[in-house]
Amino acid sequence: MRSILAIFCVWICFGVDASTPSAGCSKIPEVENAEVSQSSRKSNYTDGDKLEYNCKTGYASLLKITFNCTKNKWTKLRDGKCSLKRCELPEDIPNGRYIIVSGRSFVFGTTIKYICKDDYQMMSRFDTRTCREGGWDNQLPVCEEVSCVPDNTEENVRVEGLPDNEGLIRYGHRLTFSCIDYGWILQGPNEITCLSNGQWSSPFPKCEGETCPLNTTVEDLKMERFPNIDGPVKPGHKLIFSCNREGLKLKGQKEITCQSNGEWNSPFPKCEEVMCVANLTVNMRSDVTKDGHPVPEVSVRPGHTITLLCVGRGVKLQGEKKITCLSDGQWGNPFPKCLGGKCGTPPRVNSADTIEMTKNEYNSGERVEYTCFNKYILDQSHPYSKYLTCEDGEWRGNIKCLQPCSVSLEEMDERGIQLRWRGREKIFSPHGDRIEFSCKKGKSSIGLIQTCNDGVMNLPLCV
Ligand SMILES: *[C@@H]1O[C@H](CO)[C@@H](O)[C@H](O)[C@H]1NC(C)=O
Ligand SMILES: *[C@@H]1O[C@H](CO)[C@@H](O)[C@H](O)[C@H]1NC(C)=O
Ligand SMILES: *[C@@H]1O[C@H](CO)[C@@H](O)[C@H](O)[C@H]1NC(C)=O
Ligand SMILES: *[C@@H]1O[C@H](CO)[C@@H](O)[C@H](O)[C@H]1NC(C)=O
């Protein structure tokens, strides 16, 4: 076996060598992780020429690798070797440590990452370092204790739990919030916590509230604010009113409160002229006239005196006939009355007649009954009844006849309707009657059943 190899070598080894006689050194030797330096590159090498090698990026050799061309062969002069460069052992940082993310043994290309210990946070922009040609890149990262930075709060927000002297707000620290003014509502949580990443558990809350409109130009009205401060009127604030001169009376609420929806709980009051008022009965007249006619409603200013008299047969005035209006809007004496006396014939009432023959004279307490014309219905709901009563010379009570409804054929044709059960026929129905319509062939409508209401009936429209 060994002899066969020897023969092989004689043929191959010497055969190769023999093919390049005295032509200098040819094939440049391969060196792992290295390449021939630019300065020793040539097209032909002859005896005595040197080949110098440089290590590839990231590699280094302790000895310079050099070959010498000796008798047409390259001879290694020094036993250099390019091996991966190594960075220095990475530095430790206070409050953190590093782990290897990629690579090994801190050789060229290795990346390490720094991690802060609990309750500390990375303050540097880069938390990794990579072993490069010139050593570790990036600055050594810095870990600082976790702390949250407080936001600015508005004036109306009260914050509790802020440290004195701008001390650190550490992880887990709590702040509580409330609104300084009553009526304002906290928008957001009333408590927030500093988280382990140095952020707050939620944004700082605000105090917000509606404001009520303040009209300071209401005529003759004097208002006081409570609390007595300037600025917007917030919920809970009050206004207290009075009138700004004699002879005026406040009408409406004296005190109103701003509600949380920004509206007053009651409208602004008004200041009105103080007046004495009275409604005169039918059998009474006063010297207060309007356009020369006596008026049933008397309304006079304080200080004014009016004179009253009674009308009608035998009607007598009870009380003072001259009466004065006082500054508080009250009459100086009890208002007089017209009593006694007889009534004349009862009045005519629209669409109604008395049941009995009427007399020329009636005593107090006597009454007459009315009845409505055909197809009219007597309304007996309050304040109406079927009687008028003679009281102190005047007829009192109310009679009302509810009107029937009438609908002509033309009106029905216009709306394309007819009576459901009777066909083409005009309508004259008393109050309260239910009328059922139908549409002419091929049409339809809603509300085909209608009720007559005091002469009014809504007619359907067929389309
Ligand atoms: C290089 O070698 C070639 C033949 O291998 C020869 O022709 C040429 O002249 C040589 N050049 C130099 C500069 O020696
Ligand atoms: C390099 O080779 C030349 C020619 O063969 C020889 O004279 C010289 O001594 C060698 N140099 C070294 C340092 O071996
Ligand atoms: C304020 O009062 C004046 C005078 O009474 C009135 O003309 C005006 O409309 C009121 N404005 C509001 C906002 O209520
Ligand atoms: C007078 O009558 C009117 C209605 O006609 C009424 O509104 C008013 O309150 C009455 N006044 C008094 C003092 O009774």
Side-chain angles (χ1 to χ4, degrees):
M1 191 69 173
R2 195 174 285 172
S3 55
I4 296 171
L5 273 181
I7 294 162
F8 234 77
C9 186
V10 167
W11 179 56
I12 289 182
C13 303
F14 291 91
V16 168
D17 199 36
S19 67
T20 56
S22 65
C25 292
S26 57
K27 201 167 170 255
I28 290 167
E30 291 270 342
V31 177
E32 213 182 348
N33 300 320
E35 50 200 11
V36 178
S37 77
Q38 208 61 44
S39 59
S40 53
R41 278 182 199 274
K42 289 167 90 178
S43 48
N44 289 340
Y45 294 94
T46 54
D47 261 14
D49 279 345
K50 306 241 175 351
L51 262 188
E52 283 195 345
Y53 283 77
N54 291 330
C55 291
K56 288 185 185 164
T57 311
Y59 291 81
S61 171
L62 283 175
L63 299 170
K64 191 81 188 163
I65 298 166
T66 312
F67 284 78
N68 189 17
C69 186
T70 311
K71 294 184 190 129
N72 302 330
K73 271 189 180 171
W74 290 113
T75 326
K76 208 171 193 179
L77 287 187
R78 277 186 297 262
D79 198 18
K81 189 168 182 259
C82 286
S83 43
L84 269 176
K85 265 188 185 170
R86 209 173 270 272
C87 281
E88 285 175 18
L89 217 53
E91 292 163 82
D92 281 321
I93 55 165
N95 305 311
R97 63 194 174 87
Y98 61 81
I99 54 167
I100 297 175
V101 178
S102 68
R104 61 185 164 80
S105 310
F106 312 121
V107 295
F108 180 82
T110 301
T111 299
I112 57 171
K113 178 181 162 80
Y114 284 83
I115 295 166
C116 297
K117 68 180 191 184
D118 284 353
D119 305 348
Y120 283 79
Q121 59 188 341
M122 177 60 57
M123 301 304 290
S124 309
R125 187 157 158 238
F126 299 107
D127 61 353
T128 58
R129 300 188 86 188
T130 299
C131 179
R132 307 267 186 218
E133 277 292 296
W136 294 109
D137 66 0
N138 291 346
Q139 298 276 308
L140 198 60
V142 176
C143 288
E144 270 183 13
E145 203 172 352
V146 167
S147 68
C148 291
V149 184
D151 269 6
N152 289 327
T153 49
E154 282 170 31
E155 259 175 44
N156 53 11
V157 183
R158 183 192 293 116
V159 191
E160 278 163 288
L162 284 176
D164 300 330
N165 309 322
E166 304 194 351
L168 278 188
I169 300 179
R170 295 192 166 79
Y171 165 50
H173 192 95
R174 276 171 197 202
L175 298 179
T176 54
F177 299 87
S178 52
C179 293
I180 282 172
D181 240 323
Y182 66 100
W184 292 95
I185 297 155
L186 198 69
Q187 303 291 318
N190 60 1
E191 189 177 274
I192 65 173
T193 311
C194 178
L195 302 178
S196 59
N197 60 1
Q199 303 290 311
W200 291 104
S201 57
S202 75
F204 275 44
K206 286 186 171 141
C207 285
E208 280 170 7
E210 302 285 343
T211 57
C212 285
L214 187 59
N215 194 348
T216 52
T217 61
V218 187
E219 212 184 339
D220 294 329
L221 198 60
K222 202 171 101 188
M223 60 180 93
E224 285 174 86
R225 273 186 76 168
F226 179 81
N228 191 11
I229 47 169
D230 288 336
V233 184
K234 296 166 202 164
H237 288 195
K238 284 180 165 54
L239 290 180
I240 296 168
F241 300 97
S242 52
C243 293
N244 64 5
R245 64 179 167 86
E246 283 284 312
L248 291 180
K249 198 165 67 176
L250 197 71
K251 194 177 176 200
Q253 291 296 315
K254 183 178 164 57
E255 183 180 308
I256 63 174
T257 307
C258 179
Q259 303 176 122
S260 55
N261 63 359
E263 282 171 19
W264 294 104
N265 67 340
S266 185
F268 276 44
K270 285 188 179 117
C271 284
E272 288 183 345
E273 213 72 48
V274 174
M275 298 288 255
C276 292
V277 289
N279 282 340
L280 305 185
T281 51
V282 177
N283 53 9
M284 187 179 256
R285 299 279 184 277
S286 75
D287 57 352
V288 180
T289 53
K290 194 177 173 201
D291 307 328
H293 298 287
V295 286
E297 245 180 276
V298 173
S299 175
V300 294
R301 297 247 166 102
H304 220 85
T305 300
I306 61 168
T307 307
L308 297 155
L309 59 95
C310 295
V311 291
R313 265 170 285 180
V315 184
K316 297 232 156 47
L317 187 94
Q318 194 181 74
E320 298 293 328
K321 72 171 190 179
K322 282 187 184 291
I323 188 165
T324 304
C325 179
L326 304 181
S327 61
D328 61 353
Q330 301 292 311
W331 296 105
N333 281 308
F335 206 77
K337 287 178 178 152
C338 290
L339 298 176
K342 294 180 191 288
C343 298
T345 24
R348 289 184 61 87
V349 174
N350 275 348
S351 316
D353 243 334
T354 55
I355 284 184
E356 287 169 13
M357 291 283 286
T358 56
K359 304 187 287 181
N360 287 333
E361 202 173 272
Y362 289 81
N363 289 320
S364 251
E366 275 190 285
R367 64 181 192 180
V368 288
E369 187 180 344
Y370 284 80
T371 183
C372 291
F373 296 164
N374 187 28
K375 296 263 188 187
Y376 284 74
I377 306 274
L378 189 85
D379 192 354
Q380 300 215 52
S381 63
H382 183 80
Y384 303 103
S385 79
K386 53 183 171 181
Y387 301 108
L388 289 186
T389 308
C390 174
E391 279 175 48
D392 301 320
E394 67 174 9
W395 288 103
R396 292 187 191 162
N398 299 287
I399 306 284
K400 187 179 181 188
C401 293
L402 297 165
Q403 292 179 41
C405 294
S406 81
V407 183
S408 67
L409 281 174
E410 291 74 31
E411 282 176 277
M412 286 195 274
D413 286 345
E414 234 168 60
R415 307 183 74 84
I417 51 175
Q418 60 192 16
L419 291 168
R420 171 105 192 251
W421 306 115
R422 284 174 281 168
R424 260 176 74 85
E425 192 179 296
K426 70 170 204 166
I427 303 170
F428 192 67
S429 288
H431 167 84
D433 253 24
R434 265 162 55 100
I435 307 289
E436 204 168 342
F437 295 95
S438 64
C439 285
K440 290 184 177 160
K441 217 170 166 120
K443 308 237 167 149
S444 65
S445 170
I446 53 161
L448 283 168
I449 300 177
Q450 294 291 340
T451 305
C452 171
N453 183 16
D454 196 10
V456 177
M457 178 146 57
N458 297 317
L459 293 179
L461 178 65
C462 292
V463 286

